[in-house]
Amino acid sequence: MRAVVLIAVCYVLVQALSLTAAGSARAEASSEAAPAGALLPWEKAAPADGAATKPGQAPTTEEASVEPGAAAGPADETLAKPAAEKPAADAETTKAADKAAADEVAEKAALPETTEPTPPAPPHPVVAIIREKLADSVLTKDAEQEDVEALQAFYRARSAPPLWITEMGFSAKGQAVLFEIQKADDWGLEPKDFALPEAGALPADETAQALAEIKLDLAVLKYARFARGARHAPSEISDLFDQATTLRAPGTVMAEVGATSAPDIYLQSLHPDHEQFARLRKALREAREAEKPNETDIRRLVINMERWRWMPEELGELYVWLNTPEFMLYVVKDGKTIFEDKTLVGTIGYPTPVFSADMETVVFNPDWVAPPSVLQDKLWPALKRKHYKILTANKLNVSYRGKRIDPARVDWQRVNIHNFTFSQKSGPKNVLGKAKILYPNKHIVYMHDTLPYRRKVFDEKVRAIGYGCVRMAEPLPFAELMLAEDQELPKTEVKNLWDKGVNSPVTMETKPPVHTTYFTVTVDEEGKVFTFKDLYGLDRKHAAALFGDTDGFPLPPPEPKRRGGSVASTSSPSRGSGGGGFANSLGFND
């Protein structure tokens, strides 16, 4: 019996030891799976004060699930059931909660650790001085404000060493830029216009480095403006130049020139890319290298190079080029001339302006409406004297607000003639002839045909007889070419419109540009230089602006008087006036 008791006691002790070992192993495994203090997705944090569940209090679902096989307390028998035996709704709720908790842990784990922002690197000592000097209004008082602001922004964003200067003088990039600006006359500019630092100077200290850097920066930005035509605004030379320079923003220039390894080539790229500009530049070099250089010829080349800087950067794949001093019209496609024609242009009293506009319409057998210059200078003086034959002789109709009126019933001494419309129906005596080509502009200028008896003027060398518009010797071939290029319109259809149309417009689909220019020098493919008469005296005005004198550029001759009255009337024409010429019976010498 005693033996049986001892065996029972031993069995109990073995079971106790076994349970103790199992508990330790389970604790060790739990410790390896989750570090101390870490919670698994389904665990619940202990109360903030660290207190355990009060005696007799029912454990929560989370607490009960830690030991699935543990006995349930008397408070809630449901909690003691295995998970598989829980109600379905409760199991789904627990599953969703577990997933949400797990997703939250994963999301937090994926977030980068919060770190303090890295403070900006301190600027190079010379750059710090540059920033300070650029803020000195006394130092920058002679510079363009836009240039100064661009440099301030550029060096405010720069902590690296200066762009051009080192403690031993200018870097290779700095030297390249400096030498390129010194060769400005090779591009028709004046080197003396740019204040440059000494190329080989050894800076005495960091302040000297900063000042040299700023000086070269300002020279670069000025060169960039001048390369694109900003020495003088076109309208400063004459209000006939209705053009605008296309400048590159100084901030863009600094960013681009600072990023390139060849800043001298970058400066060269700022000049016009037009073929005529390149030919003029070559002619300029040759003129300077001549055995006996002609200063007037050199200056005229420079003047015409300057006018190319005012042209649009892109002329168009297909465009029309009207050159007033040459009395010629060209159609250019992909850089090649595919059509040319003689032209008649405005007189010195009614000059043809310089501008670019898109061709929109070809009108066959159009009506003609008298432009403001004709109203002001020819019709109004005659009507004030009650010379109404000027209207009947030229078959002019008068209307007011779209309604035809009897001009004899109007007191022309008191009314404003510009409130009335004077028009001429299409026909054999219409001053526009068989066609007009419209490229809308504020000058009311366009191209058109002319009266048959006026065609003899195309045989003359100087062909300035009109009121600002451009008359064409061969308008039909021109219309056939442009409409074929634009919309593949057959020549037969164009000819039918020419013969039978009445105010028949054809709208251009591609709207090719028309560039009306004033170039007194052009150069052909072989390098031959052609010089044309300074019809309106614009070379003389340009020479005064660029060179300070007009030596070699005489005033143009006065407008010649012709039979029937002078074209240049006593009242000066307003700029922006234009329109086709008038019949000879008016004395306008159309």
Side-chain angles (χ1 to χ4, degrees):
M1 185 68 179
R2 184 180 298 172
V4 173
V5 172
L6 288 173
I7 291 172
V9 171
C10 289
Y11 178 79
V12 171
L13 289 174
V14 170
Q15 290 294 322
L17 290 172
S18 176
L19 289 173
T20 300
S24 296
R26 187 162 53 249
E28 290 175 3
S30 175
S31 176
E32 290 176 3
L39 297 176
L40 295 176
W42 54 83
E43 292 182 315
K44 181 179 181 180
D49 58 3
T53 304
K54 293 180 181 179
Q57 179 178 346
T60 64
T61 303
E62 290 86 346
E63 291 170 340
S65 65
V66 173
E67 293 291 340
D76 192 348
E77 294 182 355
T78 305
L79 295 177
K81 295 180 181 180
E85 296 179 8
K86 289 183 179 180
D90 187 40
E92 289 297 324
T93 301
T94 302
K95 182 178 179 181
D98 290 349
K99 184 178 185 304
D103 290 344
E104 183 179 358
V105 172
E107 182 179 354
K108 289 180 178 179
L111 293 175
E113 294 185 3
T114 303
T115 57
E116 293 295 327
T118 304
H124 186 279
V126 175
V127 170
I129 298 174
I130 290 172
R131 294 179 183 178
E132 176 187 344
K133 295 298 183 183
L134 286 172
D136 185 352
S137 59
V138 176
L139 178 67
T140 60
K141 62 183 177 64
D142 295 328
E144 293 286 335
Q145 184 60 32
E146 191 178 6
D147 291 353
V148 175
E149 293 174 356
L151 292 179
Q152 289 173 338
F154 180 80
Y155 286 102
R156 190 164 53 242
R158 186 180 183 88
S159 58
L163 189 57
W164 314 117
I165 197 74
T166 72
E167 61 183 6
M168 299 303 295
F170 286 106
S171 64
K173 287 179 63 172
Q175 294 280 358
V177 163
L178 200 150
F179 292 149
E180 185 62 36
I181 297 176
Q182 288 178 340
K183 297 186 298 181
D185 59 350
D186 190 39
W187 294 88
L189 301 178
E190 290 284 351
K192 63 181 177 59
D193 288 338
F194 309 99
L196 292 169
E198 293 184 28
L202 183 65
D205 51 28
E206 291 178 340
T207 298
Q209 292 180 51
L211 293 175
E213 175 94 355
I214 292 172
K215 196 169 189 178
L216 186 54
D217 283 336
L218 291 173
V220 165
L221 293 178
K222 188 175 184 179
Y223 186 96
R225 290 198 313 278
F226 280 23
R228 303 182 77 80
R231 277 199 279 185
H232 297 279
S235 60
E236 291 179 10
I237 306 302
S238 170
D239 56 6
L240 285 179
F241 289 109
D242 180 17
Q243 296 169 294
T245 53
T246 306
L247 304 182
R248 194 162 299 182
T252 301
V253 172
M254 288 304 300
E256 292 175 345
V257 76
T260 180
S261 60
D264 52 339
I265 304 301
Y266 172 78
L267 291 183
Q268 295 175 16
S269 73
L270 296 174
H271 294 280
D273 193 32
H274 305 307
E275 181 64 30
Q276 273 295 314
F277 182 86
R279 293 178 186 177
L280 288 168
R281 178 174 174 249
K282 183 179 179 181
L284 175 65
R285 292 200 304 267
E286 293 174 351
R288 285 176 172 157
E289 295 169 1
E291 185 176 350
K292 294 181 179 180
N294 184 305
E295 186 62 25
T296 300
D297 289 345
I298 291 172
R299 287 183 169 189
R300 188 174 286 111
L301 288 166
V302 170
I303 286 170
N304 281 270
M305 290 175 67
E306 192 73 3
R307 288 174 189 161
W308 275 105
R309 303 183 200 276
W310 299 343
M311 293 294 288
E313 288 188 72
E314 298 295 332
L315 300 179
E317 294 181 2
L318 176 73
Y319 64 89
V320 180
W321 176 18
L322 302 168
N323 192 24
T324 296
E326 191 179 1
F327 308 106
M328 286 295 294
L329 171 158
Y330 302 96
V331 177
V332 182
K333 180 180 180 181
D334 298 329
K336 302 295 182 181
T337 299
I338 61 174
F339 179 84
E340 60 182 64
D341 192 17
K342 293 180 179 180
T343 61
L344 309 181
V345 301
T347 64
I348 190 172
Y350 301 90
T352 299
V354 180
F355 67 100
S356 295
D358 293 339
M359 183 189 301
E360 292 192 357
T361 315
V362 179
V363 183
F364 294 93
N365 298 294
D367 289 349
W368 177 77
V369 176
S373 55
V374 171
L375 300 182
Q376 179 72 36
D377 298 338
K378 297 299 177 181
L379 291 178
W380 208 357
L383 293 176
K384 285 179 180 179
R385 297 192 302 269
K386 299 184 179 181
H387 291 176
Y388 301 117
K389 287 185 178 180
I390 195 172
L391 303 178
T392 57
N394 295 277
K395 297 185 177 180
L396 290 176
N397 298 320
V398 184
S399 59
Y400 180 75
R401 295 182 178 178
K403 184 178 180 180
R404 188 171 175 177
I405 64 169
D406 180 0
R409 300 184 63 181
V410 177
D411 185 353
W412 296 104
Q413 295 283 353
R414 302 179 60 184
V415 301
N416 184 350
I417 195 171
H418 297 284
N419 293 331
F420 297 80
T421 300
F422 294 75
S423 59
Q424 186 186 62
K425 290 292 185 182
S426 61
K429 291 188 177 181
N430 186 285
V431 296
L432 300 184
K434 300 287 290 182
K436 68 177 179 180
I437 291 87
L438 301 178
Y439 37 104
N441 56 84
K442 69 180 184 181
H443 309 283
I444 322 176
V445 165
Y446 45 87
M447 293 182 282
H448 62 87
D449 187 20
T450 191
L451 292 166
Y453 76 91
R454 279 295 175 188
R455 294 191 177 279
K456 61 184 179 182
V457 182
F458 288 109
D459 296 328
E460 299 178 7
K461 184 176 181 180
V462 177
R463 302 189 288 272
I465 66 169
Y467 268 73
C469 278
V470 177
R471 295 166 183 260
M472 312 166 67
E474 299 291 344
L476 177 57
F478 174 84
E480 290 173 341
L481 172 67
M482 297 303 293
L483 293 175
E485 290 286 342
D486 178 68
Q487 51 197 265
E488 298 182 350
L489 200 65
K491 287 185 178 182
T492 53
E493 188 170 341
V494 175
K495 185 62 167 62
N496 185 59
L497 289 168
W498 177 273
D499 292 335
K500 301 178 182 179
V502 177
N503 277 317
S504 302
V506 178
T507 301
M508 304 292 290
E509 294 179 357
T510 58
K511 295 179 174 50
V514 177
H515 304 293
T516 306
T517 66
Y518 193 90
F519 292 114
T520 54
V521 180
T522 62
V523 185
D524 67 9
E525 295 179 356
E526 285 73 36
K528 184 177 180 180
V529 177
F530 296 88
T531 302
F532 312 108
K533 183 179 178 181
D534 184 13
L535 184 64
Y536 304 144
L538 300 185
D539 280 5
R540 179 182 172 88
K541 293 181 178 181
H542 215 150
L546 289 179
F547 313 118
D549 62 67
T550 58
D551 294 345
F553 296 90
L555 283 168
E559 190 70 43
K561 290 188 177 182
R562 301 175 184 263
R563 180 175 57 85
S566 171
V567 176
S569 70
T570 54
S571 59
S572 59
S574 59
R575 292 294 178 251
S577 64
F582 221 61
N584 194 43
S585 58
L586 289 166
F588 293 174
N589 299 295
D590 62 336

Short mmCIF file of all heavy atoms in Angstrom, two decimals, residues 5-40:
data_model
loop_
_atom_site.label_atom_id
_atom_site.label_comp_id
_atom_site.label_asym_id
_atom_site.label_seq_id
_atom_site.Cartn_x
_atom_site.Cartn_y
_atom_site.Cartn_z
N VAL A 5 1.23 4.41 -2.76
CA VAL A 5 1.17 5.86 -2.44
C VAL A 5 2.38 6.56 -2.99
O VAL A 5 2.34 7.63 -3.56
CB VAL A 5 1.05 6.06 -0.92
CG1 VAL A 5 1.19 7.54 -0.58
CG2 VAL A 5 -0.28 5.54 -0.43
N LEU A 6 3.58 5.91 -2.79
CA LEU A 6 4.81 6.53 -3.29
C LEU A 6 4.79 6.68 -4.81
O LEU A 6 5.21 7.69 -5.38
CB LEU A 6 6.02 5.69 -2.86
CG LEU A 6 6.36 5.76 -1.36
CD1 LEU A 6 7.46 4.74 -1.03
CD2 LEU A 6 6.79 7.15 -0.97
N ILE A 7 4.27 5.66 -5.47
CA ILE A 7 4.19 5.74 -6.94
C ILE A 7 3.28 6.87 -7.36
O ILE A 7 3.57 7.63 -8.29
CB ILE A 7 3.68 4.39 -7.50
CG1 ILE A 7 4.76 3.33 -7.30
CG2 ILE A 7 3.33 4.53 -8.98
CD1 ILE A 7 4.29 1.92 -7.62
N ALA A 8 2.17 7.05 -6.65
CA ALA A 8 1.21 8.12 -6.99
C ALA A 8 1.84 9.48 -6.79
O ALA A 8 1.68 10.40 -7.60
CB ALA A 8 -0.04 7.97 -6.14
N VAL A 9 2.59 9.59 -5.63
CA VAL A 9 3.24 10.89 -5.36
C VAL A 9 4.25 11.21 -6.44
O VAL A 9 4.36 12.33 -6.95
CB VAL A 9 3.91 10.85 -3.97
CG1 VAL A 9 4.78 12.10 -3.78
CG2 VAL A 9 2.84 10.81 -2.89
N CYS A 10 5.04 10.21 -6.81
CA CYS A 10 6.05 10.41 -7.88
C CYS A 10 5.39 10.82 -9.19
O CYS A 10 5.87 11.68 -9.94
CB CYS A 10 6.88 9.13 -8.05
SG CYS A 10 7.99 8.82 -6.66
N TYR A 11 4.31 10.23 -9.48
CA TYR A 11 3.60 10.54 -10.75
C TYR A 11 3.14 12.00 -10.76
O TYR A 11 3.28 12.71 -11.73
CB TYR A 11 2.39 9.60 -10.89
CG TYR A 11 1.57 9.88 -12.13
CD1 TYR A 11 1.98 9.41 -13.37
CD2 TYR A 11 0.38 10.62 -12.04
CE1 TYR A 11 1.25 9.67 -14.51
CE2 TYR A 11 -0.36 10.86 -13.17
CZ TYR A 11 0.06 10.40 -14.41
OH TYR A 11 -0.68 10.65 -15.53
N VAL A 12 2.60 12.41 -9.60
CA VAL A 12 2.13 13.81 -9.49
C VAL A 12 3.29 14.78 -9.66
O VAL A 12 3.20 15.80 -10.34
CB VAL A 12 1.42 14.03 -8.16
CG1 VAL A 12 1.13 15.52 -7.94
CG2 VAL A 12 0.12 13.23 -8.11
N LEU A 13 4.45 14.43 -8.99
CA LEU A 13 5.62 15.31 -9.10
C LEU A 13 6.12 15.39 -10.55
O LEU A 13 6.47 16.46 -11.05
CB LEU A 13 6.73 14.80 -8.18
CG LEU A 13 6.49 14.98 -6.68
CD1 LEU A 13 7.60 14.31 -5.88
CD2 LEU A 13 6.42 16.46 -6.32
N VAL A 14 6.15 14.26 -11.23
CA VAL A 14 6.61 14.25 -12.63
C VAL A 14 5.69 15.11 -13.49
O VAL A 14 6.12 15.87 -14.35
CB VAL A 14 6.66 12.81 -13.16
CG1 VAL A 14 6.88 12.81 -14.66
CG2 VAL A 14 7.78 12.05 -12.46
N GLN A 15 4.37 14.98 -13.29
CA GLN A 15 3.42 15.77 -14.07
C GLN A 15 3.60 17.26 -13.80
O GLN A 15 3.54 18.09 -14.70
CB GLN A 15 1.98 15.35 -13.73
CG GLN A 15 1.61 13.97 -14.25
CD GLN A 15 1.59 13.92 -15.76
OE1 GLN A 15 1.16 14.88 -16.40
NE2 GLN A 15 2.08 12.81 -16.33
N ALA A 16 3.85 17.58 -12.53
CA ALA A 16 4.03 19.01 -12.19
C ALA A 16 5.26 19.58 -12.86
O ALA A 16 5.26 20.67 -13.41
CB ALA A 16 4.13 19.15 -10.66
N LEU A 17 6.38 18.75 -12.75
CA LEU A 17 7.61 19.21 -13.41
C LEU A 17 7.42 19.36 -14.91
O LEU A 17 7.93 20.27 -15.55
CB LEU A 17 8.75 18.22 -13.10
CG LEU A 17 9.24 18.22 -11.63
CD1 LEU A 17 10.23 17.08 -11.42
CD2 LEU A 17 9.89 19.54 -11.30
N SER A 18 6.68 18.43 -15.50
CA SER A 18 6.43 18.47 -16.95
C SER A 18 5.66 19.73 -17.34
O SER A 18 5.97 20.40 -18.32
CB SER A 18 5.67 17.22 -17.37
OG SER A 18 5.34 17.30 -18.74
N LEU A 19 4.64 20.06 -16.56
CA LEU A 19 3.85 21.26 -16.84
C LEU A 19 4.70 22.52 -16.68
O LEU A 19 4.60 23.48 -17.45
CB LEU A 19 2.63 21.31 -15.91
CG LEU A 19 1.54 20.27 -16.20
CD1 LEU A 19 0.48 20.33 -15.09
CD2 LEU A 19 0.91 20.54 -17.55
N THR A 20 5.56 22.50 -15.65
CA THR A 20 6.42 23.68 -15.44
C THR A 20 7.36 23.89 -16.60
O THR A 20 7.56 24.99 -17.09
CB THR A 20 7.23 23.49 -14.15
OG1 THR A 20 6.32 23.34 -13.06
CG2 THR A 20 8.13 24.71 -13.89
N ALA A 21 7.97 22.77 -17.08
CA ALA A 21 8.89 22.87 -18.23
C ALA A 21 8.17 23.34 -19.48
O ALA A 21 8.68 24.16 -20.25
CB ALA A 21 9.54 21.51 -18.47
N ALA A 22 6.96 22.84 -19.68
CA ALA A 22 6.19 23.26 -20.87
C ALA A 22 5.87 24.75 -20.81
O ALA A 22 5.93 25.46 -21.82
CB ALA A 22 4.90 22.45 -20.97
N GLY A 23 5.56 25.22 -19.62
CA GLY A 23 5.27 26.67 -19.48
C GLY A 23 6.48 27.51 -19.78
O GLY A 23 6.40 28.54 -20.43
N SER A 24 7.65 27.06 -19.30
CA SER A 24 8.87 27.82 -19.56
C SER A 24 9.19 27.84 -21.04
O SER A 24 9.58 28.87 -21.61
CB SER A 24 10.04 27.20 -18.78
OG SER A 24 9.83 27.30 -17.41
N ALA A 25 9.03 26.68 -21.68
CA ALA A 25 9.31 26.61 -23.13
C ALA A 25 8.38 27.53 -23.90
O ALA A 25 8.79 28.21 -24.85
CB ALA A 25 9.16 25.17 -23.61
N ARG A 26 7.10 27.53 -23.46
CA ARG A 26 6.14 28.39 -24.17
C ARG A 26 6.48 29.86 -23.95
O ARG A 26 6.39 30.67 -24.86
CB ARG A 26 4.73 28.08 -23.66
CG ARG A 26 3.64 28.80 -24.45
CD ARG A 26 2.25 28.16 -24.24
NE ARG A 26 1.91 28.03 -22.84
CZ ARG A 26 1.81 26.88 -22.20
NH1 ARG A 26 2.03 25.73 -22.81
NH2 ARG A 26 1.47 26.85 -20.90
N ALA A 27 6.93 30.21 -22.78
CA ALA A 27 7.32 31.60 -22.50
C ALA A 27 8.52 32.00 -23.32
O ALA A 27 8.60 33.10 -23.85
CB ALA A 27 7.59 31.76 -21.00
N GLU A 28 9.51 31.05 -23.41
CA GLU A 28 10.70 31.36 -24.20
C GLU A 28 10.35 31.54 -25.67
O GLU A 28 10.85 32.43 -26.36
CB GLU A 28 11.73 30.24 -24.05
CG GLU A 28 12.34 30.22 -22.65
CD GLU A 28 13.28 29.02 -22.49
OE1 GLU A 28 13.45 28.30 -23.49
OE2 GLU A 28 13.83 28.85 -21.41
N ALA A 29 9.47 30.69 -26.19
CA ALA A 29 9.05 30.80 -27.60
C ALA A 29 8.35 32.13 -27.83
O ALA A 29 8.56 32.79 -28.85
CB ALA A 29 8.13 29.64 -27.95
N SER A 30 7.50 32.54 -26.90
CA SER A 30 6.80 33.82 -27.04
C SER A 30 7.78 34.95 -27.01
O SER A 30 7.65 35.93 -27.74
CB SER A 30 5.76 33.95 -25.93
OG SER A 30 5.15 35.21 -25.98
N SER A 31 8.82 34.81 -26.18
CA SER A 31 9.83 35.88 -26.09
C SER A 31 10.59 36.01 -27.39
O SER A 31 10.91 37.11 -27.83
CB SER A 31 10.78 35.57 -24.93
OG SER A 31 11.80 36.53 -24.87
N GLU A 32 10.90 34.89 -28.08
CA GLU A 32 11.61 34.96 -29.35
C GLU A 32 10.73 35.52 -30.45
O GLU A 32 11.20 36.23 -31.33
CB GLU A 32 12.08 33.55 -29.73
CG GLU A 32 13.20 33.03 -28.82
CD GLU A 32 13.58 31.61 -29.17
OE1 GLU A 32 13.01 31.09 -30.15
OE2 GLU A 32 14.43 31.05 -28.50
N ALA A 33 9.44 35.23 -30.46
CA ALA A 33 8.55 35.67 -31.54
C ALA A 33 8.26 37.15 -31.43
O ALA A 33 8.11 37.82 -32.44
CB ALA A 33 7.25 34.88 -31.49
N ALA A 34 8.15 37.72 -30.29
CA ALA A 34 7.83 39.15 -30.13
C ALA A 34 8.72 39.72 -29.05
O ALA A 34 8.65 39.29 -27.92
CB ALA A 34 6.36 39.31 -29.75
N PRO A 35 9.54 40.68 -29.34
CA PRO A 35 10.41 41.30 -28.36
C PRO A 35 9.59 41.90 -27.23
O PRO A 35 8.41 42.22 -27.39
CB PRO A 35 11.13 42.39 -29.16
CG PRO A 35 10.98 41.97 -30.58
CD PRO A 35 9.71 41.22 -30.65
N ALA A 36 10.28 42.09 -26.12
CA ALA A 36 9.59 42.64 -24.96
C ALA A 36 9.00 44.00 -25.31
O ALA A 36 9.68 44.84 -25.88
CB ALA A 36 10.59 42.76 -23.79
N GLY A 37 7.77 44.18 -24.93
CA GLY A 37 7.10 45.46 -25.18
C GLY A 37 6.41 45.53 -26.52
O GLY A 37 5.65 46.45 -26.76
N ALA A 38 6.68 44.62 -27.47
CA ALA A 38 6.04 44.66 -28.78
C ALA A 38 4.72 43.91 -28.74
O ALA A 38 4.60 42.90 -28.06
CB ALA A 38 6.95 44.03 -29.82
N LEU A 39 3.74 44.41 -29.45
CA LEU A 39 2.42 43.80 -29.47
C LEU A 39 2.17 43.18 -30.82
O LEU A 39 2.50 43.74 -31.85
CB LEU A 39 1.34 44.85 -29.19
CG LEU A 39 1.39 45.53 -27.80
CD1 LEU A 39 0.33 46.59 -27.73
CD2 LEU A 39 1.21 44.50 -26.70
N LEU A 40 1.59 42.00 -30.81
CA LEU A 40 1.14 41.38 -32.04
C LEU A 40 -0.19 42.00 -32.43
O LEU A 40 -0.87 42.62 -31.60
CB LEU A 40 1.00 39.87 -31.84
CG LEU A 40 2.33 39.15 -31.56
CD1 LEU A 40 2.07 37.69 -31.29
CD2 LEU A 40 3.30 39.32 -32.70
#
